[in-house]
Amino acid sequence: MPETVNQNRRRMLAATVMTIAAAQFPKAGAADAPAGGTSSQFGPLKQVNASLLNVGYAEAGPAGGPPVILLHGWPYDIYSFVDVAPVLASAGYRVIVPYLRGYGTTRFLSPDALRNGQPSALAADVSALMDALNIKKAILAGFDWGARTANIVGVLWPERCKAMVSVSGYLIGNQEAGKLPLPPNAELQWWYQYYFATERGRVGYDKYRHDFAKLIWQIASPQWKFDDATFDRSAASFDNPDHVAIVIHNYRWRLALAQGEPRYDDLEKRLAEAPVITVPTITLEGDANGAPHVDSSAYAKKFSGKYAHRTITGGIGHNLPQEAPQAFAQAVIDVDRF
């Protein structure tokens, strides 16, 4: 069947699916009503060896469908996409939702591997996962660490990224930029980054990771009325034996307080130039995002391909795909048309 016919049918199916989904989910403003329940579940998780890791991931949709990889952030996990995945799967996409290194069932293959949380390492993990699953090119979509990871893949390996959905826009940073002081109010928002820079912070996060993560959820999404069961379902992924080490290394690396690995030096040099992202992109922002973020006008010019920005209203916070799954899924479907 000609590819143009396939695309037209896929778009018609996607429109139908989104219409049905819209009828099933109540609205809050222009987005989904923030949900607090745990009725949605993934099927049995899968595992695959991919370079340094044995990656745990959820999969939905037809095996031959256009691949979409959904990337979570900190302190969240794959359940941020539990209501996004079935919408995309019903629209014909092959949906892959991996646990990042240090989360859930993802494990290092070697006990001697550095528990490295630097951003380029996480992006290399995505490329390795695509190799392991025989995926040449995929739509990448994510938020927080996941959006940053998608951004980096889009810059370093644009031939592997068909299109992108990035919550909070352009998130590529570098250690030199991390040394620059911000205005006091902005610095206050990064309190946990400085806490993690101390040994007290490492021990405290290890001891109180459940309560710490819950506090971040509340601060980052102040209007999201999630219930304990919803939080606990995701918090289980923080019991990963490498979780604390990965999180602490990530934030210390940003402040140049921890070294990365030489294997990523060339990648970091390229990222330090703040390169423009050329792949088609939709950026999203919740109107009630309590996490540090800048206005979309500050990063719009960092996307040179076909580009659009959407602000999702209705009290939507930082965990946008879980708080507004319809809007997030629609962005993925729409960017595929770019």
Side-chain angles (χ1 to χ4, degrees), residues 67-93:
V68 176
I69 299 177
L70 305 177
L71 301 167
H72 69 82
W74 171 86
Y76 306 92
D77 79 333
I78 63 173
Y79 283 97
S80 290
F81 303 102
V82 71
D83 293 316
V84 174
V87 176
L88 296 177
S90 296
Y93 291 94

PDB file of all heavy atoms in Angstrom, residues 67-93:
ATOM      1  N   PRO A  67       6.950   3.788  15.442  1.00  0.00           N
ATOM      2  CA  PRO A  67       7.370   3.772  16.847  1.00  0.00           C
ATOM      3  C   PRO A  67       7.363   5.147  17.506  1.00  0.00           C
ATOM      4  O   PRO A  67       7.753   6.143  16.908  1.00  0.00           O
ATOM      5  CB  PRO A  67       8.792   3.197  16.789  1.00  0.00           C
ATOM      6  CG  PRO A  67       9.255   3.454  15.406  1.00  0.00           C
ATOM      7  CD  PRO A  67       8.049   3.467  14.521  1.00  0.00           C
ATOM      8  N   VAL A  68       6.907   5.145  18.743  1.00  0.00           N
ATOM      9  CA  VAL A  68       6.932   6.328  19.611  1.00  0.00           C
ATOM     10  C   VAL A  68       7.590   5.907  20.916  1.00  0.00           C
ATOM     11  O   VAL A  68       7.185   4.909  21.518  1.00  0.00           O
ATOM     12  CB  VAL A  68       5.524   6.874  19.899  1.00  0.00           C
ATOM     13  CG1 VAL A  68       5.590   8.040  20.871  1.00  0.00           C
ATOM     14  CG2 VAL A  68       4.822   7.278  18.624  1.00  0.00           C
ATOM     15  N   ILE A  69       8.598   6.648  21.353  1.00  0.00           N
ATOM     16  CA  ILE A  69       9.271   6.362  22.614  1.00  0.00           C
ATOM     17  C   ILE A  69       8.947   7.492  23.587  1.00  0.00           C
ATOM     18  O   ILE A  69       9.207   8.665  23.305  1.00  0.00           O
ATOM     19  CB  ILE A  69      10.792   6.229  22.423  1.00  0.00           C
ATOM     20  CG1 ILE A  69      11.088   5.068  21.456  1.00  0.00           C
ATOM     21  CG2 ILE A  69      11.486   5.984  23.763  1.00  0.00           C
ATOM     22  CD1 ILE A  69      12.557   4.893  21.130  1.00  0.00           C
ATOM     23  N   LEU A  70       8.363   7.131  24.721  1.00  0.00           N
ATOM     24  CA  LEU A  70       7.919   8.094  25.727  1.00  0.00           C
ATOM     25  C   LEU A  70       8.887   8.052  26.905  1.00  0.00           C
ATOM     26  O   LEU A  70       9.117   6.985  27.489  1.00  0.00           O
ATOM     27  CB  LEU A  70       6.502   7.760  26.184  1.00  0.00           C
ATOM     28  CG  LEU A  70       5.446   7.660  25.069  1.00  0.00           C
ATOM     29  CD1 LEU A  70       4.089   7.258  25.660  1.00  0.00           C
ATOM     30  CD2 LEU A  70       5.329   8.977  24.305  1.00  0.00           C
ATOM     31  N   LEU A  71       9.434   9.207  27.278  1.00  0.00           N
ATOM     32  CA  LEU A  71      10.523   9.288  28.249  1.00  0.00           C
ATOM     33  C   LEU A  71      10.110  10.090  29.481  1.00  0.00           C
ATOM     34  O   LEU A  71       9.751  11.263  29.377  1.00  0.00           O
ATOM     35  CB  LEU A  71      11.740   9.937  27.588  1.00  0.00           C
ATOM     36  CG  LEU A  71      12.271   9.191  26.351  1.00  0.00           C
ATOM     37  CD1 LEU A  71      13.268  10.066  25.595  1.00  0.00           C
ATOM     38  CD2 LEU A  71      12.905   7.867  26.758  1.00  0.00           C
ATOM     39  N   HIS A  72      10.199   9.464  30.640  1.00  0.00           N
ATOM     40  CA  HIS A  72       9.782  10.097  31.888  1.00  0.00           C
ATOM     41  C   HIS A  72      10.913  10.920  32.498  1.00  0.00           C
ATOM     42  O   HIS A  72      12.048  10.927  32.022  1.00  0.00           O
ATOM     43  CB  HIS A  72       9.280   9.041  32.877  1.00  0.00           C
ATOM     44  CG  HIS A  72      10.358   8.125  33.411  1.00  0.00           C
ATOM     45  ND1 HIS A  72      11.186   8.484  34.447  1.00  0.00           N
ATOM     46  CD2 HIS A  72      10.724   6.862  33.059  1.00  0.00           C
ATOM     47  CE1 HIS A  72      12.010   7.484  34.729  1.00  0.00           C
ATOM     48  NE2 HIS A  72      11.759   6.490  33.882  1.00  0.00           N
ATOM     49  N   GLY A  73      10.589  11.609  33.579  1.00  0.00           N
ATOM     50  CA  GLY A  73      11.556  12.448  34.268  1.00  0.00           C
ATOM     51  C   GLY A  73      11.749  12.023  35.709  1.00  0.00           C
ATOM     52  O   GLY A  73      11.372  10.923  36.120  1.00  0.00           O
ATOM     53  N   TRP A  74      12.323  12.919  36.493  1.00  0.00           N
ATOM     54  CA  TRP A  74      12.539  12.717  37.930  1.00  0.00           C
ATOM     55  C   TRP A  74      11.648  13.685  38.700  1.00  0.00           C
ATOM     56  O   TRP A  74      11.536  14.853  38.327  1.00  0.00           O
ATOM     57  CB  TRP A  74      14.005  13.012  38.296  1.00  0.00           C
ATOM     58  CG  TRP A  74      14.213  13.026  39.782  1.00  0.00           C
ATOM     59  CD1 TRP A  74      14.473  11.954  40.588  1.00  0.00           C
ATOM     60  CD2 TRP A  74      14.157  14.164  40.661  1.00  0.00           C
ATOM     61  NE1 TRP A  74      14.569  12.357  41.903  1.00  0.00           N
ATOM     62  CE2 TRP A  74      14.378  13.708  41.980  1.00  0.00           C
ATOM     63  CE3 TRP A  74      13.928  15.533  40.463  1.00  0.00           C
ATOM     64  CZ2 TRP A  74      14.392  14.553  43.087  1.00  0.00           C
ATOM     65  CZ3 TRP A  74      13.919  16.379  41.565  1.00  0.00           C
ATOM     66  CH2 TRP A  74      14.161  15.890  42.866  1.00  0.00           C
ATOM     67  N   PRO A  75      11.031  13.234  39.803  1.00  0.00           N
ATOM     68  CA  PRO A  75      10.986  11.871  40.314  1.00  0.00           C
ATOM     69  C   PRO A  75       9.679  11.186  39.884  1.00  0.00           C
ATOM     70  O   PRO A  75       8.713  11.114  40.655  1.00  0.00           O
ATOM     71  CB  PRO A  75      11.039  12.070  41.825  1.00  0.00           C
ATOM     72  CG  PRO A  75      10.306  13.381  42.038  1.00  0.00           C
ATOM     73  CD  PRO A  75      10.492  14.195  40.775  1.00  0.00           C
ATOM     74  N   TYR A  76       9.663  10.713  38.680  1.00  0.00           N
ATOM     75  CA  TYR A  76       8.483  10.090  38.087  1.00  0.00           C
ATOM     76  C   TYR A  76       8.901   8.762  37.466  1.00  0.00           C
ATOM     77  O   TYR A  76      10.030   8.313  37.672  1.00  0.00           O
ATOM     78  CB  TYR A  76       7.853  11.021  37.043  1.00  0.00           C
ATOM     79  CG  TYR A  76       7.542  12.404  37.570  1.00  0.00           C
ATOM     80  CD1 TYR A  76       8.465  13.451  37.452  1.00  0.00           C
ATOM     81  CD2 TYR A  76       6.333  12.679  38.208  1.00  0.00           C
ATOM     82  CE1 TYR A  76       8.187  14.725  37.949  1.00  0.00           C
ATOM     83  CE2 TYR A  76       6.050  13.947  38.709  1.00  0.00           C
ATOM     84  CZ  TYR A  76       6.988  14.961  38.580  1.00  0.00           C
ATOM     85  OH  TYR A  76       6.701  16.217  39.082  1.00  0.00           O
ATOM     86  N   ASP A  77       8.004   8.139  36.733  1.00  0.00           N
ATOM     87  CA  ASP A  77       8.380   6.893  36.077  1.00  0.00           C
ATOM     88  C   ASP A  77       7.461   6.646  34.889  1.00  0.00           C
ATOM     89  O   ASP A  77       6.763   7.554  34.421  1.00  0.00           O
ATOM     90  CB  ASP A  77       8.374   5.729  37.070  1.00  0.00           C
ATOM     91  CG  ASP A  77       6.983   5.185  37.385  1.00  0.00           C
ATOM     92  OD1 ASP A  77       5.987   5.951  37.290  1.00  0.00           O
ATOM     93  OD2 ASP A  77       6.875   3.995  37.725  1.00  0.00           O
ATOM     94  N   ILE A  78       7.420   5.428  34.401  1.00  0.00           N
ATOM     95  CA  ILE A  78       6.674   5.123  33.181  1.00  0.00           C
ATOM     96  C   ILE A  78       5.178   5.369  33.329  1.00  0.00           C
ATOM     97  O   ILE A  78       4.484   5.584  32.327  1.00  0.00           O
ATOM     98  CB  ILE A  78       6.919   3.667  32.708  1.00  0.00           C
ATOM     99  CG1 ILE A  78       6.421   2.644  33.734  1.00  0.00           C
ATOM    100  CG2 ILE A  78       8.402   3.448  32.405  1.00  0.00           C
ATOM    101  CD1 ILE A  78       6.486   1.192  33.244  1.00  0.00           C
ATOM    102  N   TYR A  79       4.669   5.388  34.567  1.00  0.00           N
ATOM    103  CA  TYR A  79       3.234   5.575  34.746  1.00  0.00           C
ATOM    104  C   TYR A  79       2.780   6.998  34.448  1.00  0.00           C
ATOM    105  O   TYR A  79       1.580   7.265  34.402  1.00  0.00           O
ATOM    106  CB  TYR A  79       2.810   5.134  36.147  1.00  0.00           C
ATOM    107  CG  TYR A  79       2.726   3.628  36.238  1.00  0.00           C
ATOM    108  CD1 TYR A  79       3.779   2.883  36.750  1.00  0.00           C
ATOM    109  CD2 TYR A  79       1.613   2.940  35.746  1.00  0.00           C
ATOM    110  CE1 TYR A  79       3.722   1.498  36.800  1.00  0.00           C
ATOM    111  CE2 TYR A  79       1.543   1.561  35.794  1.00  0.00           C
ATOM    112  CZ  TYR A  79       2.598   0.846  36.321  1.00  0.00           C
ATOM    113  OH  TYR A  79       2.549  -0.523  36.347  1.00  0.00           O
ATOM    114  N   SER A  80       3.712   7.895  34.209  1.00  0.00           N
ATOM    115  CA  SER A  80       3.314   9.211  33.704  1.00  0.00           C
ATOM    116  C   SER A  80       2.611   9.087  32.359  1.00  0.00           C
ATOM    117  O   SER A  80       1.858   9.975  31.963  1.00  0.00           O
ATOM    118  CB  SER A  80       4.550  10.116  33.556  1.00  0.00           C
ATOM    119  OG  SER A  80       5.061  10.484  34.819  1.00  0.00           O
ATOM    120  N   PHE A  81       2.850   7.973  31.652  1.00  0.00           N
ATOM    121  CA  PHE A  81       2.296   7.784  30.313  1.00  0.00           C
ATOM    122  C   PHE A  81       1.240   6.678  30.255  1.00  0.00           C
ATOM    123  O   PHE A  81       0.884   6.229  29.175  1.00  0.00           O
ATOM    124  CB  PHE A  81       3.426   7.456  29.331  1.00  0.00           C
ATOM    125  CG  PHE A  81       4.506   8.497  29.283  1.00  0.00           C
ATOM    126  CD1 PHE A  81       5.718   8.297  29.928  1.00  0.00           C
ATOM    127  CD2 PHE A  81       4.308   9.694  28.605  1.00  0.00           C
ATOM    128  CE1 PHE A  81       6.722   9.260  29.887  1.00  0.00           C
ATOM    129  CE2 PHE A  81       5.303  10.665  28.555  1.00  0.00           C
ATOM    130  CZ  PHE A  81       6.505  10.441  29.202  1.00  0.00           C
ATOM    131  N   VAL A  82       0.748   6.272  31.407  1.00  0.00           N
ATOM    132  CA  VAL A  82      -0.155   5.120  31.420  1.00  0.00           C
ATOM    133  C   VAL A  82      -1.472   5.400  30.699  1.00  0.00           C
ATOM    134  O   VAL A  82      -2.115   4.478  30.178  1.00  0.00           O
ATOM    135  CB  VAL A  82      -0.403   4.652  32.877  1.00  0.00           C
ATOM    136  CG1 VAL A  82      -1.275   5.645  33.641  1.00  0.00           C
ATOM    137  CG2 VAL A  82      -0.984   3.251  32.908  1.00  0.00           C
ATOM    138  N   ASP A  83      -1.889   6.672  30.629  1.00  0.00           N
ATOM    139  CA  ASP A  83      -3.112   7.024  29.906  1.00  0.00           C
ATOM    140  C   ASP A  83      -2.826   7.581  28.514  1.00  0.00           C
ATOM    141  O   ASP A  83      -3.748   7.738  27.711  1.00  0.00           O
ATOM    142  CB  ASP A  83      -3.935   8.038  30.711  1.00  0.00           C
ATOM    143  CG  ASP A  83      -4.490   7.441  31.995  1.00  0.00           C
ATOM    144  OD1 ASP A  83      -4.988   6.313  31.949  1.00  0.00           O
ATOM    145  OD2 ASP A  83      -4.400   8.107  33.046  1.00  0.00           O
ATOM    146  N   VAL A  84      -1.569   7.876  28.238  1.00  0.00           N
ATOM    147  CA  VAL A  84      -1.167   8.317  26.901  1.00  0.00           C
ATOM    148  C   VAL A  84      -0.990   7.115  25.983  1.00  0.00           C
ATOM    149  O   VAL A  84      -1.436   7.117  24.825  1.00  0.00           O
ATOM    150  CB  VAL A  84       0.146   9.128  26.964  1.00  0.00           C
ATOM    151  CG1 VAL A  84       0.654   9.454  25.556  1.00  0.00           C
ATOM    152  CG2 VAL A  84      -0.049  10.404  27.769  1.00  0.00           C
ATOM    153  N   ALA A  85      -0.332   6.078  26.481  1.00  0.00           N
ATOM    154  CA  ALA A  85       0.023   4.926  25.657  1.00  0.00           C
ATOM    155  C   ALA A  85      -1.171   4.270  24.965  1.00  0.00           C
ATOM    156  O   ALA A  85      -1.104   3.980  23.764  1.00  0.00           O
ATOM    157  CB  ALA A  85       0.784   3.900  26.498  1.00  0.00           C
ATOM    158  N   PRO A  86      -2.289   4.012  25.664  1.00  0.00           N
ATOM    159  CA  PRO A  86      -3.399   3.353  24.974  1.00  0.00           C
ATOM    160  C   PRO A  86      -4.033   4.198  23.876  1.00  0.00           C
ATOM    161  O   PRO A  86      -4.516   3.660  22.880  1.00  0.00           O
ATOM    162  CB  PRO A  86      -4.399   3.053  26.100  1.00  0.00           C
ATOM    163  CG  PRO A  86      -4.019   3.942  27.230  1.00  0.00           C
ATOM    164  CD  PRO A  86      -2.543   4.134  27.120  1.00  0.00           C
ATOM    165  N   VAL A  87      -4.019   5.518  24.038  1.00  0.00           N
ATOM    166  CA  VAL A  87      -4.553   6.387  22.984  1.00  0.00           C
ATOM    167  C   VAL A  87      -3.689   6.271  21.731  1.00  0.00           C
ATOM    168  O   VAL A  87      -4.192   6.113  20.614  1.00  0.00           O
ATOM    169  CB  VAL A  87      -4.626   7.848  23.462  1.00  0.00           C
ATOM    170  CG1 VAL A  87      -5.089   8.761  22.329  1.00  0.00           C
ATOM    171  CG2 VAL A  87      -5.569   7.974  24.656  1.00  0.00           C
ATOM    172  N   LEU A  88      -2.369   6.329  21.921  1.00  0.00           N
ATOM    173  CA  LEU A  88      -1.464   6.214  20.779  1.00  0.00           C
ATOM    174  C   LEU A  88      -1.502   4.820  20.173  1.00  0.00           C
ATOM    175  O   LEU A  88      -1.447   4.663  18.945  1.00  0.00           O
ATOM    176  CB  LEU A  88      -0.044   6.575  21.210  1.00  0.00           C
ATOM    177  CG  LEU A  88       0.170   8.017  21.658  1.00  0.00           C
ATOM    178  CD1 LEU A  88       1.601   8.221  22.139  1.00  0.00           C
ATOM    179  CD2 LEU A  88      -0.160   8.993  20.536  1.00  0.00           C
ATOM    180  N   ALA A  89      -1.606   3.803  21.022  1.00  0.00           N
ATOM    181  CA  ALA A  89      -1.687   2.435  20.515  1.00  0.00           C
ATOM    182  C   ALA A  89      -2.941   2.243  19.677  1.00  0.00           C
ATOM    183  O   ALA A  89      -2.899   1.605  18.607  1.00  0.00           O
ATOM    184  CB  ALA A  89      -1.661   1.447  21.675  1.00  0.00           C
ATOM    185  N   SER A  90      -4.057   2.800  20.125  1.00  0.00           N
ATOM    186  CA  SER A  90      -5.307   2.688  19.375  1.00  0.00           C
ATOM    187  C   SER A  90      -5.235   3.419  18.043  1.00  0.00           C
ATOM    188  O   SER A  90      -5.947   3.085  17.095  1.00  0.00           O
ATOM    189  CB  SER A  90      -6.471   3.237  20.205  1.00  0.00           C
ATOM    190  OG  SER A  90      -6.663   2.468  21.367  1.00  0.00           O
ATOM    191  N   ALA A  91      -4.359   4.426  17.974  1.00  0.00           N
ATOM    192  CA  ALA A  91      -4.171   5.175  16.724  1.00  0.00           C
ATOM    193  C   ALA A  91      -3.174   4.494  15.793  1.00  0.00           C
ATOM    194  O   ALA A  91      -2.852   5.033  14.732  1.00  0.00           O
ATOM    195  CB  ALA A  91      -3.708   6.592  17.036  1.00  0.00           C
ATOM    196  N   GLY A  92      -2.664   3.320  16.202  1.00  0.00           N
ATOM    197  CA  GLY A  92      -1.800   2.539  15.329  1.00  0.00           C
ATOM    198  C   GLY A  92      -0.322   2.643  15.594  1.00  0.00           C
ATOM    199  O   GLY A  92       0.480   2.067  14.855  1.00  0.00           O
ATOM    200  N   TYR A  93       0.064   3.342  16.660  1.00  0.00           N
ATOM    201  CA  TYR A  93       1.483   3.503  16.960  1.00  0.00           C
ATOM    202  C   TYR A  93       2.010   2.342  17.810  1.00  0.00           C
ATOM    203  O   TYR A  93       1.290   1.783  18.641  1.00  0.00           O
ATOM    204  CB  TYR A  93       1.725   4.811  17.706  1.00  0.00           C
ATOM    205  CG  TYR A  93       1.500   6.034  16.874  1.00  0.00           C
ATOM    206  CD1 TYR A  93       0.264   6.687  16.879  1.00  0.00           C
ATOM    207  CD2 TYR A  93       2.516   6.547  16.072  1.00  0.00           C
ATOM    208  CE1 TYR A  93       0.047   7.821  16.105  1.00  0.00           C
ATOM    209  CE2 TYR A  93       2.294   7.681  15.293  1.00  0.00           C
ATOM    210  CZ  TYR A  93       1.062   8.310  15.311  1.00  0.00           C
ATOM    211  OH  TYR A  93       0.849   9.427  14.542  1.00  0.00           O
TER     212      TYR A  93
END
